[in-house]
Amino acid sequence: MSNVTIEIPHDFMLGAAASAWQTEGWSGKKAGQDSFLDAWYQQDRHVWHNGYGPAIATDFINRYREDVALMKACGLTHYRTSINWSRFLLDYETAQMDEEYASYYDRLIDEMLASGIEPMLCLEHYELPAVLLEKYGGWGSKKVVDLFVRYAEQVFAHYGHKVRRWFVFNEPIVVQTRVYLDALRWPYQQDTSLWMQWNHHKNLATARVVQLFRAGGWPGSIGTILNPEVTWPRSSAPHDVKAAEMYDLFYNRVFLDPAIKGVYPAQLFTLLAQHQVRWSYSDEDLALIAAHRVDEVGLNLYYPHRVKAPSRAWHPETPFHPAYYYEHFELPGRRMNPSRGWEIQPRIVADMAARMRDEYDNFPWFIAENGMGIENEARFKNEQGEIQDDYRIAFIAEHLHEALLARQAGINCRGYMLWAFTDNVSPMNAFKNRYGLIEIDLENQRQRRMKKSAHWFRQLVDSRQLTLTLDDEPK
Ligand code: BGP
């Protein structure tokens, strides 16, 4: 074991993230303001762990002052959340704003600014209005792209003078992958063409919102938050390497390339056509994507994804799915977070950093989410009732260390944001896996309590130094 200390540059962000729907709760929500998540929870509550979901969440909408004080106590310099599209408007067609909800955001932003915490706002973290899914098929329709741009216009007009860091989407690939590719989530459909159509319309929406932001001359920057999975082949054999490249193409480059380079990878068009995946796009769409690239990307990095070449033949009657090209691979002995079922391997940060330098021209990026969800954390309470989450401290330290090393090596990594500030609700897993620096005690009116990691994070920010113990090879 050896101790290492590394300096944290002054312009390197140290913050945490959450989203509107995972924290705010339905208090004050009006009829007709359901999001896709709300509708799913109403339809199929039994798939949500212990029945918890977005209905109360952490009740942030009523307790944000207390929570901003806790952000300050943890030393956060930045906090990212989303604006809930489904609640920000009363009418999605005319973009009539809900004054009551909008004024809550004004108060929240003012409170954060007064506390020295920079707000980072995302326009969509799965909060597609349910009625737009019903009426138009959600992001499958270009009409929804237009309505989203109208919503963005209202948001910028309202907060553009006081928020400097904007993001269009959080993980734009996730909803359609779970709903239309894998049919694991309501409304459970399997339609690869529709999946690609959602991907394309979200890429188009990103470009159009970037265009709108720049045309409005708003100060600050506009980015997007993606979740590229660092994908490792089982072996260096060409068939395994190809499996990893294919996974990367269909799930990572499909968003990374349009956002940063302004183009889809040529191979994606070829393969989608070859497999009869039908999606509509125009030359005008592609020109918009090329002309309006984001200023920065936030990358959500949690685990490595390992794949191998498929070992079975594709059934001729099964419609195309990217899994045609790969199978998942589990490395025996890998280090795991058993609560979440995700492998832990901090080297993903170094790999992604090198990739951003080499394949994306050292484009500005930051870790927008990284964290560790643990079940039944109450078992780690000390006598004073404080959760001793040393595993989380170690997890953060190891990943942050990789990010700082990348930064020292000249890679344009601008910060580290933890998922999450407090424990909060996840899709389906609800409050099962706890991610927060702050505990939300469901047994006691959602009382907030700092965990050991919250004090550690504070000291990290105050000292601008990370000290960690690294495992050496056994002698
Ligand atoms: C990311 C999402 C977050 C959050 C996080 C934790 O993919 O952006 O919203 O939920 O994952 O994962 P999970 O909630 O599935 O445990």
Side-chain angles (χ1 to χ4, degrees):
M1 302 284 229
S2 52
N3 279 335
V4 178
T5 296
I6 184 165
E7 298 294 319
I8 305 174
H10 278 279
D11 59 352
F12 189 91
M13 286 185 290
L14 285 172
S19 71
W21 81 268
Q22 288 171 286
T23 56
E24 66 187 4
W26 290 350
S27 169
K29 181 163 71 116
K30 302 179 179 65
Q33 285 189 321
D34 289 337
S35 69
F36 152 73
L37 271 309
D38 298 343
W40 172 23
Y41 180 65
Q42 283 154 355
Q43 294 294 320
D44 243 356
R45 187 178 268 205
H46 70 280
V47 303
W48 290 68
H49 187 72
N50 289 344
Y52 286 106
I56 304 177
T58 69
D59 198 24
F60 184 83
I61 202 162
N62 292 313
R63 299 177 74 158
Y64 69 90
R65 282 186 206 280
E66 180 186 354
D67 283 351
V68 173
L70 283 166
M71 289 175 202
K72 202 171 171 188
C74 298
L76 303 187
T77 59
H78 293 74
Y79 177 71
R80 190 248 305 183
T81 187
S82 54
I83 292 188
N84 191 333
W85 178 12
S86 62
R87 292 190 63 171
F88 188 73
L89 302 178
L90 291 170
D91 183 325
Y92 308 114
E93 309 275 340
T94 62
Q96 186 199 346
M97 200 170 71
D98 182 330
E99 300 284 347
E100 202 186 331
Y101 185 77
S103 80
Y104 146 66
Y105 260 88
D106 270 313
R107 281 177 273 121
L108 168 62
I109 294 165
D110 294 345
E111 185 83 8
M112 285 173 60
L113 292 173
S115 305
I117 299 154
E118 178 163 3
M120 298 163 77
L121 291 183
C122 188
L123 296 172
E124 206 254 32
H125 193 127
Y126 319 155
E127 295 116 342
L128 168 76
V131 68
L132 299 185
L133 181 64
E134 232 171 81
K135 197 165 164 194
Y136 300 112
W139 288 105
S141 157
K142 212 168 186 175
K143 169 84 178 173
V144 169
V145 178
D146 293 336
L147 298 181
F148 183 68
V149 175
R150 256 181 246 170
Y151 150 66
E153 214 165 1
Q154 282 285 29
V155 171
F156 295 148
H158 205 83
Y159 309 113
H161 59 290
K162 57 183 176 187
V163 174
R164 295 280 177 277
R165 217 150 176 171
W166 293 98
F167 299 90
V168 184
F169 286 102
N170 174 78
E171 302 196 347
I173 200 165
V174 165
V175 171
Q176 62 272 26
T177 299
R178 307 281 183 271
V179 173
Y180 297 114
L181 205 53
D182 297 332
L184 293 169
R185 293 184 183 173
W186 181 86
Y188 315 104
Q189 287 177 34
Q190 209 297 313
D191 185 337
T192 305
S193 296
L194 198 49
W195 170 77
M196 188 57 211
Q197 196 62 63
W198 277 51
N199 290 341
H200 175 61
H201 284 154
K202 288 186 177 182
N203 280 320
L204 179 62
T206 305
R208 290 200 44 202
V209 171
V210 170
Q211 176 185 38
L212 174 79
F213 182 79
R214 296 208 179 116
W218 301 109
S221 60
I222 178 107
T224 199
I225 293 168
L226 304 178
N227 56 317
E229 292 177 5
V230 173
T231 307
W232 289 330
R234 167 181 61 174
S235 76
S236 58
H239 48 275
D240 285 337
V241 171
K242 183 180 173 200
E245 283 170 3
M246 289 292 131
Y247 191 92
D248 186 51
L249 179 73
F250 283 105
Y251 298 105
N252 299 336
R253 294 185 61 201
V254 64
F255 279 99
L256 276 174
D257 284 24
I260 303 179
K261 298 181 174 176
V263 285
Y264 285 110
Q267 199 186 7
L268 192 66
F269 289 103
T270 319
L271 293 179
L272 291 171
Q274 189 183 314
H275 292 290
Q276 285 91 46
V277 176
R278 302 196 196 290
W279 55 300
S280 64
Y281 60 91
S282 65
D283 289 346
E284 193 197 346
D285 296 351
L286 300 184
L288 275 163
I289 290 172
H292 306 291
R293 291 176 281 161
V294 296
D295 293 320
E296 63 175 344
V297 287
L299 302 180
N300 296 350
L301 300 174
Y302 286 92
Y303 54 85
H305 191 101
R306 297 178 192 268
V307 294
K308 62 180 178 182
S311 51
R312 38 78 193 123
W314 198 256
H315 191 284
E317 279 170 27
T318 303
F320 175 75
H321 180 293
Y324 178 91
Y325 288 108
Y326 64 85
E327 273 177 30
H328 302 291
F329 172 67
E330 291 183 356
L331 180 72
R334 68 202 185 284
R335 184 174 155 204
M336 286 293 287
N337 169 4
S339 301
R340 191 59 184 82
W342 284 345
E343 182 176 346
I344 300 176
Q345 180 43 272
R347 194 154 49 82
I348 57 173
V349 176
D351 271 27
M352 185 52 74
R355 181 167 200 197
M356 293 307 287
R357 179 193 62 206
D358 301 339
E359 291 173 41
Y360 295 98
D361 205 16
N362 215 10
F363 194 75
W365 65 285
F366 61 96
I367 296 181
E369 287 181 24
N370 171 249
M372 193 179 189
I374 293 290
E375 200 166 351
N376 185 18
E377 276 200 313
R379 70 195 137 131
F380 299 112
K381 283 193 176 180
N382 66 9
E383 279 169 15
Q384 289 70 46
E386 183 186 273
I387 293 172
Q388 303 298 292
D389 52 346
D390 294 277
Y391 43 87
R392 176 166 296 107
I393 294 172
F395 183 98
I396 300 171
E398 288 179 71
H399 289 81
L400 174 59
H401 182 231
E402 293 288 348
L404 293 168
L405 288 176
R407 170 65 179 252
Q408 273 185 354
I411 291 172
N412 211 349
C413 175
R414 296 172 161 194
Y416 176 95
M417 308 275 294
L418 179 74
W419 187 271
F421 160 52
T422 64
D423 296 337
N424 64 37
V425 170
S426 296
M428 299 170 90
N429 280 333
F431 281 108
K432 174 176 163 284
N433 302 320
R434 304 308 188 93
Y435 282 91
L437 294 173
I438 308 288
E439 175 198 358
I440 300 286
D441 185 348
L442 293 176
E443 313 295 307
N444 291 294
Q445 290 87 43
R446 291 177 167 69
Q447 192 187 320
R448 277 73 166 143
R449 223 177 279 117
M450 288 169 87
K451 301 181 191 173
K452 184 176 177 184
S453 56
H455 303 289
W456 175 84
F457 204 88
R458 171 66 188 259
Q459 149 284 318
L460 187 74
V461 179
D462 288 349
S463 68
R464 304 298 300 182
Q465 267 189 349
L466 167 71
T467 299
L468 76 163
T469 307
L470 293 176
D471 263 350
D472 301 324
E473 298 291 317
K475 300 237 161 35

